[in-house]
Amino acid sequence: MANAVKAQGAGAKGNIVAIVAMFFLFAMISFVTNLAAPLGTIWKNNYDWSGMLGNMMNFLAYLFMGIPAGNLLVKIGYKKTALYAMVVGLVGLLLQYLSGIVGTETGLFAVAGQTVTLNFVIYLLGAFICGFCVCMLNTVVNPMLNMLGGGGNTGNQLVQTGGAFNSLAGTLTPLFVGMLIGQVTDTTSISDISPLLFIAMGVFVVAFIIISAVAIPEPHLSKGDKSVAKAKSKYSPWSFRHTVLGVIGIFFYVGLEVGIPGVLIFYLSDSVASGITENATAVAGGVAAIYWLLMLVGRLISSVISGKVSSRIQLIVASTAAIFLICLAIFLPDDIRVSMPAYSSADGFTMAQVPAKALFLVLCGLCTSVMWGGIFNLAVEGLGKYTAQASGIFMMMVVGGGVMPLIQNAIANSVGYLASYWLVVAMLAYLLYYGCVGCKNVNTDIPVDEDELPDARNL
């Protein structure tokens, strides 16, 4: 009896350590993802067309890894998938660091009249590999935290706490990059932010050691995957109209969530366009950090009101408010300016004069914070046994965070930064349509009971 109690106590302590490690991994997902846009200010100084290309490579990995990552969970479990993800992330960060010191003079080919050097290709490869990492971690941390919490309310609380760490890292990443870069010049390179990359690699190493030493429950592995029936089903998530429309909604949502602060950073970093003449990149990073901070605030508010306010209502209100804020930013005169917090290595935290347009774009963080959960919940409503398959499809559609910002950046280069936000307005209009009309399940005649499981090969 005493040994049993002792074992339970050791298990509880192990769970606490694992939970803390998952929190750090939750933060690393956001760090690796949000590193791409501020780093784009460095490459944009060398290649006009490259601002969002690293971000594109990061999210493109989701298209290839979404479903395989889910299959890894089934075959090798949460723990091993997380360990593999950390190794992959370490390699990706190392390549991004090497891009600042290797191949800087080696020209490979020309794009738009500019010679592409080897170090830029190395950076893109590192961003792509990091995308594999965050995709794998995204499939691990949510269900693992829920399991470690024992499911139910406690499991949900752990997931919400992990989400808070995620938003916090999203807030700090552009701020730290801006602090280290200051003002982008012809000599600015990735090596200028090497301390941040070393810290990130260190976190991955520590988390790897901790997770390796902690026992993680893997209840699905004990079943040997025999719970999945071999009989085929003629239906799939694609058979549900509201799910198909929701998949498109997720694609657009991730695109606008990343595109709003991403192009904002480029806009504020451009001294000619923004009128910011000192430490423009640092100011841009500080302002963009507020966007992610407001996403954290919005998620906390949503967690409180979601018991009484439906996902549909939250999505409708958030989409409408975001359209209004972005239209204000587009039409507001350039000479109207406001004070917003910024940071520079020389002056520390200060209040910088920025275009008022930036304020309205930053406030969109409150709106985008509730959209992912709202779209996902509405899109899987009534799917039953097809929910797992739908989750893999949604993970693939995170690639929208690379595709749409890249298109927006191309529009910004052609017709101007603020004009590019009309693309965001169009995507928000679609989400508004989805919340009002498209989310209704019109395929209630399709059987979704567990006694008719889909073919295991389709999972």
Side-chain angles (χ1 to χ4, degrees):
M1 181 71 175
N3 290 335
V5 172
K6 185 182 294 185
Q8 289 180 352
K13 291 179 181 178
N15 278 0
I16 292 174
V17 175
I19 288 169
V20 173
M22 286 300 103
F23 287 164
F24 277 106
L25 291 182
F26 230 133
M28 290 305 298
I29 291 173
S30 184
F31 171 84
V32 172
T33 301
N34 290 304
L35 190 65
L39 286 187
T41 60
I42 297 175
W43 294 111
K44 188 176 174 64
N45 194 50
N46 299 321
Y47 311 109
D48 295 336
W49 38 266
S50 68
M52 279 292 184
L53 199 54
N55 181 77
M56 169 64 184
M57 296 300 291
N58 192 275
F59 280 96
L60 183 63
Y62 279 85
L63 185 62
F64 296 95
M65 198 62 194
I67 291 179
N71 290 337
L72 277 176
L73 292 183
V74 173
K75 293 179 179 179
I76 65 175
Y78 294 105
K79 179 175 178 176
K80 288 184 179 179
T81 302
L83 293 176
Y84 288 165
M86 284 180 273
V87 173
V88 171
L90 188 63
V91 172
L93 289 171
L94 180 61
L95 284 174
Q96 291 189 65
Y97 164 72
L98 291 176
S99 70
I101 59 176
V102 176
T104 57
E105 303 296 332
T106 306
L108 298 180
F109 50 85
V111 176
Q114 295 177 300
T115 300
V116 176
T117 55
L118 176 61
N119 65 322
F120 182 60
V121 175
I122 294 174
Y123 162 73
L124 292 180
L125 178 60
F128 187 65
I129 292 176
C130 280
F132 281 118
C133 164
V134 293
C135 180
M136 294 166 70
L137 288 179
N138 262 315
T139 62
V140 169
V141 291
N142 286 282
M144 186 181 286
L145 279 175
N146 187 60
M147 269 198 311
L148 292 171
N153 292 336
T154 303
N156 184 56
Q157 285 178 334
L158 290 180
V159 173
Q160 293 293 341
T161 305
F165 275 84
N166 184 273
S167 296
L168 180 61
T171 301
L172 296 177
T173 301
L175 179 62
F176 286 156
V177 174
M179 288 165 52
L180 292 170
I181 294 176
Q183 186 78 23
V184 175
T185 66
D186 293 337
T187 61
T188 304
S189 73
I190 300 296
S191 59
D192 293 320
I193 66 155
S194 56
L196 202 57
L197 294 176
F198 285 138
I199 291 173
M201 286 187 275
V203 171
F204 271 141
V205 171
V206 172
F208 183 93
I209 295 172
I210 292 174
I211 296 298
S212 297
V214 174
I216 302 295
E218 308 272 9
H220 62 291
L221 290 182
S222 62
K223 299 177 182 179
D225 199 26
K226 295 178 181 178
S227 60
V228 181
K230 299 298 181 181
K232 291 184 178 180
S233 171
K234 64 179 180 179
Y235 299 109
S236 74
W238 299 108
S239 304
F240 297 82
R241 189 199 72 165
H242 72 294
T243 301
V244 174
L245 296 178
V247 166
I248 299 172
I250 286 291
F251 181 86
F252 284 155
Y253 160 70
V254 184
L256 67 90
E257 180 204 70
V258 175
I260 291 173
V263 173
L264 175 62
I265 288 175
F266 296 149
Y267 167 57
L268 296 179
S269 298
D270 188 332
S271 299
V272 176
S274 66
I276 302 173
T277 56
E278 295 183 5
N279 295 315
T281 304
V283 171
V287 172
I290 300 174
Y291 171 90
W292 297 105
L293 180 62
L294 290 179
M295 282 197 68
L296 169 60
V297 174
R299 285 170 176 168
L300 292 175
I301 294 174
S302 178
S303 67
V304 173
I305 68 174
S306 290
K308 298 180 179 180
V309 182
S310 69
S311 297
R312 179 173 176 266
I313 295 300
Q314 290 186 51
L315 180 60
I316 291 173
V317 172
S319 300
T320 303
I323 291 173
F324 176 72
L325 289 170
I326 291 180
C327 286
L328 277 178
I330 292 173
F331 289 114
L332 205 65
D334 294 330
D335 57 355
I336 300 179
R337 306 182 78 79
V338 297
S339 294
M340 295 189 69
Y343 186 91
S344 68
S345 56
D347 303 321
F349 284 99
T350 59
M351 297 298 291
Q353 289 292 311
V354 302
K357 296 172 179 288
L359 173 62
F360 293 110
L361 294 175
V362 162
L363 288 173
C364 289
L366 287 171
C367 305
T368 57
S369 63
V370 303
M371 290 180 178
W372 171 276
I375 298 168
F376 185 87
N377 289 341
L378 292 170
V380 300
E381 182 70 25
L383 289 191
K385 64 187 179 185
Y386 301 107
T387 301
Q389 286 177 287
S391 297
I393 296 171
F394 280 119
M395 191 58 65
M396 290 177 64
M397 288 301 101
V398 174
V399 70
V403 175
M404 300 312 296
L406 190 66
I407 296 174
Q408 186 183 352
N409 186 61
I411 296 172
N413 289 336
S414 299
V415 296
Y417 296 107
L418 271 298
S420 73
Y421 281 93
W422 283 117
L423 177 63
V424 177
V425 171
M427 292 188 284
L428 287 168
Y430 176 85
L431 297 185
L432 179 58
Y433 155 77
Y434 183 71
C436 293
V437 179
C439 65
K440 183 179 180 181
N441 184 2
V442 297
N443 303 106
T444 54
D445 57 322
I446 298 177
V448 296
D449 294 333
E450 292 295 339
D451 58 355
E452 187 187 345
L453 286 168
D455 187 347
R457 291 170 295 180
N458 293 330
L459 290 176

